[in-house]
Amino acid sequence: VGDGLRLVVAWRAAPDRLPCGRRLATADVLVKRSDARGTARMQNSLEDQPLIYGLEYQSRALAAQRGDSERNRFFVGTLTLRNENQVHLVDFNDEDSTVESTIFPHARGEVWDISTCHDEPDIICTCHSQSSTNNAEVGATVWRVPDEDTLAAGGDDAQLTEVLKLEGHKGSVKSVIWAPGGSGKSFVSLDETQLHVWDLGKGLPSASIRNTAALGPKKGQRAFTTAEWNPHHNCNQIATANDTAVRGWDVRSLESTFCIEQAHQVLVRDIDFNPNKQYIMVTCGDDCKVKFWDIRKSNAPLSVRSDHSHWVWSVTYNLFHDQLLLTSSSDNQVILSNILSLSSDPYGNFDVDDDEAVASAEARPIEQDGVISTYQEHEDSVYAVEWSNADPWIFASLSYDGRLVINRVPRDTKYSILL
């Protein structure tokens, strides 16, 4: 094939660090080196290939843009002590496998976590730290991302606009989680020892703390590490992790709803809830394991997987097809698994009004859970993995060396689920 294919393959296999600028687009590279026929061949050849986007600095914060069901967009934050930190908005075009990125300066220093609002796609929150000679200033800030017209016009307005700085925390803010879309305006922020439920009844700039809970005074108790919102039960429940324990909280009263004291042998790193099946929760941790729980009967896990060889940092369910599960680890790998036995549709697709089809489906043995694919494009610890909010077959992963990799679910897996 032509020079265009060689150029793009070289860029995908070993991307150069991208220069700092307002907007960068890989589509420009494709057009310069291919005619129409060459571009068609190139797109067919690369349809299932990963796309690699290189950041200038180290990174560990990644979030898919919620509230936008049309575009595959991801936010990435950088970690650098000597230079100005950045938030990258990466827009992936599935039709021609290209990305366009917009880079915003982040005035509050290193970005340790990013979260996005489900109801307003232009609202994000960063958890950050900024070092000075005498101390380090830590906190969290809600920002508004400029709209497309403002970005196109450029100038001073094409920047992140501060909406709200979260006050009232003790120590570094670990994460901010937003209530699932349509469940009302609320979010929860988490520092080392406290969690705050925020009331947005009067809008974001006037947000106030509605309720607060704190870890008990148990000696040697380690700090909160993460939290996740349960999309079921009218979105009135969250789960938090500290040390080896996972706890459920009712956000209306902040009373405990469940507690798993020894969810993992060592630190719990991440939590997610099955979006389509009530009571099912998944956790991962530094014991290299991924565990599945029924929060009504949490004395023992429903299933345990040990597919990674080092700490598991991130675990996330597919938003539409909950048998698909992504995990990322310090073993530099991302793993896509099929957890059909604990999914909302363990027998596959069939017509529920057809008695013969139902009987035939129920008579078939349930497909065995297992690894679908292992992705090895990273060369450093993979701290985060996220499904696209717009396309259930696209996901992104981020490693500490600043490598963002956009991948797809294998085509045969996709068709086996749909057909």
Side-chain angles (χ1 to χ4, degrees):
V1 294
D3 290 341
L5 178 57
R6 291 201 298 271
L7 175 66
V8 174
V9 168
W11 184 85
R12 286 170 181 268
D16 293 327
R17 291 295 184 187
L18 296 176
C20 255
R22 192 174 66 81
R23 280 200 163 183
L24 303 172
T26 59
D28 297 338
V29 179
L30 296 176
V31 173
K32 289 177 183 177
R33 297 293 297 274
S34 294
D35 58 16
R37 185 184 305 174
T39 301
R41 288 198 303 266
M42 180 167 35
Q43 290 172 354
N44 290 334
S45 301
L46 298 177
E47 184 177 351
D48 292 328
Q49 296 299 313
L51 187 147
I52 300 174
Y53 174 86
L55 283 81
E56 190 174 4
Y57 307 120
Q58 295 171 330
S59 310
R60 60 186 296 167
L62 168 69
Q65 184 179 41
R66 307 298 179 193
D68 187 341
S69 59
E70 301 296 327
R71 293 172 292 187
N72 301 298
R73 304 179 86 178
F74 301 90
F75 289 96
V76 188
T78 65
L79 289 169
T80 174
L81 288 171
R82 297 183 178 180
N83 301 287
E84 183 177 51
N85 280 280
Q86 304 164 347
V87 171
H88 292 233
L89 172 56
V90 181
D91 193 334
F92 174 64
N93 187 330
D94 184 39
E95 293 184 359
D96 55 12
S97 293
T98 60
V99 296
E100 180 180 84
S101 70
T102 306
I103 303 175
F104 304 102
H106 185 262
R108 292 290 170 81
E110 297 174 296
V111 182
W112 290 90
D113 189 70
I114 291 183
S115 59
T116 57
C117 180
H118 294 255
D119 297 312
E120 299 183 61
D122 60 340
I123 293 295
I124 67 171
C125 184
T126 60
C127 300
H128 45 73
S129 66
Q130 192 166 29
S131 299
S132 63
T133 305
N134 298 323
N135 60 359
E137 181 182 348
V138 295
T141 303
V142 177
W143 309 87
R144 187 175 299 279
V145 179
D147 59 29
E148 290 297 319
D149 292 338
T150 303
L151 288 174
D156 294 338
D157 293 333
Q159 305 290 334
L160 297 177
T161 303
E162 180 178 325
V163 178
L164 175 69
K165 186 175 181 181
L166 305 189
E167 306 286 356
H169 279 284
K170 298 178 180 179
S172 61
V173 182
K174 297 295 184 180
S175 66
V176 172
I177 56 173
W178 298 84
S183 63
K185 293 186 175 181
S186 181
F187 65 88
V188 170
S189 58
L190 193 77
D191 62 30
E192 295 177 347
T193 60
Q194 292 183 325
L195 67 89
H196 298 314
V197 182
W198 293 76
D199 185 0
L200 301 180
K202 297 182 180 179
L204 262 174
S206 303
S208 59
I209 296 174
R210 186 175 70 211
N211 212 343
T212 298
L215 289 174
K218 183 179 177 181
K219 187 176 181 179
Q221 184 165 251
R222 296 182 68 175
F224 283 124
T225 53
T226 189
E228 185 57 51
W229 213 291
N230 187 342
H232 307 290
H233 313 298
N234 296 319
C235 301
N236 287 322
Q237 185 184 79
I238 64 169
T240 63
N242 70 289
D243 200 9
T244 63
V246 175
R247 288 178 171 82
W249 307 80
D250 188 319
V251 295
R252 296 165 296 185
S253 62
L254 286 184
E255 294 181 354
S256 177
T257 56
F258 68 88
C259 182
I260 311 172
E261 287 288 354
Q262 290 290 327
H264 289 259
Q265 293 178 349
V266 283
L267 194 67
V268 179
R269 290 288 179 183
D270 201 14
I271 306 168
D272 199 15
F273 286 91
N274 188 313
N276 303 325
K277 189 173 183 179
Q278 295 188 62
Y279 309 113
I280 303 302
M281 178 182 72
V282 62
T283 61
C284 63
D286 286 359
D287 56 2
C288 313
K289 291 180 170 55
V290 175
K291 296 187 178 183
F292 300 85
W293 307 87
D294 184 330
I295 59 176
R296 300 167 298 179
K297 300 176 290 184
S298 57
N299 56 311
L302 299 172
S303 178
V304 179
R305 298 199 61 82
S306 302
D307 300 314
H308 287 283
S309 60
H310 209 269
W311 303 340
V312 186
W313 284 91
S314 181
V315 59
T316 180
Y317 276 105
N318 188 288
L319 300 176
F320 300 93
H321 308 288
D322 55 276
Q323 67 265 51
L324 298 178
L325 187 86
L326 286 168
T327 55
S328 67
S329 166
S330 295
D331 62 9
N332 306 350
Q333 294 182 340
V334 174
I335 292 179
L336 173 65
S337 299
N338 178 27
I339 312 297
L340 192 60
S341 66
L342 297 175
S343 72
S344 59
D345 192 12
Y347 297 103
N349 295 318
F350 57 89
D351 185 355
V352 295
D353 296 323
D354 187 334
D355 293 338
E356 290 185 5
V358 171
S360 174
E362 292 181 345
R364 293 197 306 266
I366 296 178
E367 184 180 337
Q368 292 296 310
D369 298 344
V371 172
I372 295 173
S373 185
T374 300
Y375 300 87
Q376 300 179 328
E377 292 84 17
H378 293 282
E379 298 178 356
D380 207 338
S381 295
V382 188
Y383 281 114
V385 61
E386 286 272 319
W387 292 100
S388 166
N389 194 63
D391 190 323
W393 313 111
I394 292 173
F395 60 92
S397 54
L398 177 69
S399 52
Y400 187 63
D401 56 3
R403 178 174 295 189
L404 178 73
V405 180
I406 299 176
N407 261 303
R408 298 175 178 86
V409 173
R411 199 179 312 180
D412 56 348
T413 301
K414 172 181 175 179
Y415 292 147
S416 71
I417 293 173
L418 294 177
L419 302 179

